[in-house]
Amino acid sequence: MKLTDLNRHGEIGANCIFLQLGSFNILIDSGLNPKKLGYDALPDFGPIENIDLDFIVLTHCHLDHLGSLPIVTAHNPKAPVITTAPNVTLAPRMLRNSINVMKRQREEHGIAEYPLFLHRDIAQLTQQLTIQRFERGEVYRKGKEQIEVILHPAGHVAGAAAVELIYQNRRIVFSGDVLFDAQRTLPGAHLPKGAIDTLILETTRGAKGRESGKTRASEVDRLIDQIGRILERGGSCLIPVFALGRMQELFKILYEARSFGRLPKCPIHAAGLGMAICEYFDKIRKQTQLIDFDIKILEKMDVRAIDLNMRPGRDLPRKGIYLVSSGMMVEHTPSYKIAASLLPHPNNGLCFVGYCDPDSPGGQLLENRDEASFFFDALDYLAPLRASIDQYDLSGHADRDELLEYAEQSEARAIVLTHGDQNARDWFYRELKRHLPDTKILDPKPLEAYEI
Ligand SMILES: [Zn+2]
Ligand SMILES: [Zn+2]
């Protein structure tokens, strides 16, 4: 097997792995790097430019896995894009939103190449989407060769799949983004057990172990207590969330907390793509039963749209809980704007519930939360930090010890590290070497072809 990581800047970036097994040319995911702009955000498609892909697998619909797929399908109009039923529903919606964001960025940053694809490319991609059920193998043939593809539930987010390829009795497993814990909206990962030839493993949380005694359930409890305290002192609570997945889970957490009398009634303000995704989740639940999210809870909770014409520094005109994207408080998003109004007022509170890249405004704010003020570049506003700022670990990724344990039981001949910052990959490299001394561990350099 030949493996080339097309994610040109390494780290988490624009996920895209090119595999060659016999005569099969296979691509797994094709993302956009959320920290880069323009062509620099794309994978480097150089190695597949003159190659006809036999098929593509889409693991899930976060943009770091999906965001550049329309460019690949435009060049490979015959290749099926194998994925799960929820992803077939979600992918076109996520991509349409991405076009809108790129059009806005074209104006703001003068990026001439934006948008990187058009609505007609999404239509083309949609035609190529091929639903495959979890845990049911499909065989693809080419000449005398054949390969079996099996998708396994990966937890993480609605529709997320791990990919198993069986070629000449070799099992190759690509973990994708994985969460073993169940979430309120979907069950945890169920990865293939037993001996694996090659394991391609995500390493997102490699840099830091889970603090002892902290579980997902105890973090949810801590979060609800803090929201309760903020409301009690007459403040508003901002929870920045990813539009796909985390927002819907938070709706369910708030709904259940209220049903059990653990939170007082108050308006919930929400906006943007995440609200549209709620409707898609409801549809997916009805069609597939793969997720658990009923849109009716939004009505029951009195969820309201937000007027985002607020002035930085002036407190939010309406009290309540603000559940808005982006999760990392990226510039120009609702969470960024709302934070600029919320933070100067001591009754208010901000609760982060997931990972924030250290370079993102959310990451910067967390690092400097003990300072007297925080500068909102995009608003040219220096905000005094008077509200409470806390972080809760409701990550969508398995912690490193769980992944290490999975890797160990696989007794893989080779393990390839992906989807992690360098220090995260380094931890896995070291620990895997120690636990599996006979296994070949590979932290692939971008664009280098490895024979495995
Ligand atoms: Zn993801
Ligand atoms: Zn990812």
Side-chain angles (χ1 to χ4, degrees):
M1 179 176 77
K2 220 190 215 177
L3 178 145
T4 314
D5 189 351
L6 305 186
N7 174 17
R8 68 173 87 200
H9 295 292
E11 303 188 339
I12 291 177
N15 293 285
C16 190
I17 285 195
F18 175 44
L19 294 176
Q20 289 166 292
L21 278 152
S23 67
F24 285 102
N25 295 309
I26 303 160
L27 198 72
I28 301 185
D29 289 339
S30 189
L32 267 188
N33 188 328
K35 288 161 75 174
K36 305 281 179 191
L37 288 170
Y39 291 132
D40 203 31
L42 291 172
D44 188 330
F45 294 126
I48 57 168
E49 214 161 306
N50 298 311
I51 279 175
D52 287 327
L53 294 172
D54 295 293
F55 59 86
I56 301 157
V57 186
L58 170 65
T59 61
H60 66 287
C61 290
H62 284 146
L63 289 181
D64 58 320
H65 300 259
L66 165 72
S68 59
L69 193 54
I71 298 169
V72 176
T73 45
H75 286 89
N76 292 272
K78 291 206 180 88
V81 177
I82 301 165
T83 195
T84 63
N87 291 341
V88 170
T89 303
L90 293 167
R93 183 66 185 83
M94 294 297 287
L95 290 167
R96 286 202 297 276
N97 190 73
S98 180
I99 288 187
N100 294 339
V101 172
M102 284 191 278
K103 282 182 176 166
R104 202 188 60 214
Q105 288 176 328
R106 180 192 167 95
E107 302 297 313
E108 275 162 17
H109 303 283
I111 304 166
E113 63 261 38
Y114 273 174
L116 293 167
F117 48 86
L118 302 170
H119 287 285
R120 69 156 179 265
D121 300 313
I122 300 177
Q124 169 65 41
L125 161 67
T126 305
Q127 281 184 12
Q128 288 169 247
L129 290 169
T130 307
I131 295 180
Q132 189 168 317
R133 287 201 177 186
F134 280 128
E135 288 170 345
R136 195 179 286 186
E138 292 282 346
V139 174
Y140 287 80
R141 289 174 218 282
K142 188 174 186 184
K144 286 199 177 98
E145 288 180 284
Q146 66 171 51
I147 191 165
E148 187 176 355
V149 183
I150 311 170
L151 303 180
H152 299 271
H156 185 59
V157 75
V163 187
E164 179 177 3
L165 303 170
I166 302 173
Y167 176 78
Q168 293 182 348
N169 299 317
R170 284 171 75 180
R171 287 172 91 204
I172 296 134
V173 172
F174 182 94
S175 74
D177 291 8
V178 166
L179 178 65
F180 293 105
D181 286 337
Q183 301 176 61
R184 293 296 208 280
T185 50
L186 83 158
H190 190 251
L191 298 190
K193 288 276 160 67
I196 290 168
D197 179 82
T198 303
L199 172 63
I200 303 164
L201 187 68
E202 74 125 308
T203 60
T204 315
R205 304 190 66 179
K208 212 169 151 229
R210 191 187 283 261
E211 281 175 48
S212 70
K214 260 192 192 178
T215 63
R216 199 175 182 86
S218 71
E219 285 296 276
V220 170
D221 280 344
R222 222 162 56 80
L223 170 67
I224 292 167
D225 289 345
Q226 174 66 0
I227 298 171
R229 275 194 291 273
I230 294 166
L231 296 176
E232 211 163 277
R233 67 186 186 223
S236 289
C237 175
L238 167 62
I239 310 174
V241 284
F242 286 119
L244 172 57
R246 198 61 63 241
M247 183 188 271
Q248 294 75 28
E249 186 181 25
L250 259 295
F251 272 132
K252 284 203 76 172
I253 288 172
L254 294 175
Y255 181 73
E256 284 164 21
R258 267 191 199 182
S259 311
F260 291 111
R262 290 193 57 196
L263 276 182
K265 279 204 172 134
C266 74
I268 297 177
H269 308 277
L273 175 64
M275 291 298 282
I277 300 287
C278 287
E279 286 175 31
Y280 282 70
F281 268 36
D282 188 64
K283 199 167 124 192
I284 293 166
R285 172 183 61 89
K286 287 181 187 143
Q287 286 171 348
T288 69
Q289 278 97 47
L290 286 173
I291 54 176
D292 182 6
F293 183 85
D294 188 334
I295 192 100
K296 287 200 197 94
I297 66 170
L298 300 192
E299 263 168 55
K300 289 182 189 157
M301 281 196 294
D302 184 20
V303 175
R304 303 174 189 181
I306 304 171
D307 175 8
L308 283 169
N309 283 325
M310 48 198 60
R311 228 188 317 137
R314 186 180 286 180
D315 200 4
L316 298 158
R318 294 187 191 85
K319 296 272 169 212
I321 298 171
Y322 286 78
L323 194 57
V324 289
S325 55
S326 82
M328 300 194 198
M329 253 176 65
V330 169
E331 285 95 349
H332 307 290
T333 61
S335 64
Y336 186 83
K337 283 186 192 157
I338 290 167
S341 294
L342 177 122
L343 289 171
H345 306 279
N347 288 344
N348 295 337
L350 198 165
C351 302
F352 287 102
V353 290
Y355 174 76
C356 279
D357 187 287
D359 296 334
S360 67
Q364 287 293 307
L365 178 60
L366 275 167
E367 202 183 302
N368 298 298
R369 63 178 137 173
D370 297 327
E371 304 288 320
S373 57
F374 182 77
F375 190 61
F376 286 80
D377 283 316
L379 300 169
D380 192 23
Y381 170 61
L382 186 70
L385 294 185
R386 299 198 185 99
S388 59
I389 301 169
D390 296 278
Q391 191 174 28
Y392 302 85
D393 184 355
L394 300 185
S395 166
H397 295 269
D399 63 55
R400 60 187 191 179
D401 294 310
E402 293 173 302
L403 286 173
L404 186 64
E405 201 177 299
Y406 178 72
E408 251 188 291
Q409 70 78 43
S410 79
E411 295 177 344
R413 187 181 56 82
I415 297 179
V416 182
L417 307 177
T418 62
H419 202 283
D421 294 341
Q422 197 54 51
N423 50 358
R425 292 176 190 231
D426 290 346
W427 184 87
F428 272 98
Y429 192 90
R430 225 177 27 244
E431 291 302 310
L432 288 167
K433 272 252 174 271
R434 199 156 68 85
H435 289 259
L436 294 164
D438 299 329
T439 299
K440 178 179 173 184
I441 315 292
L442 187 66
D443 180 8
K445 287 202 182 79
L447 302 164
E448 220 161 275
Y450 293 87
E451 195 64 58
I452 296 169

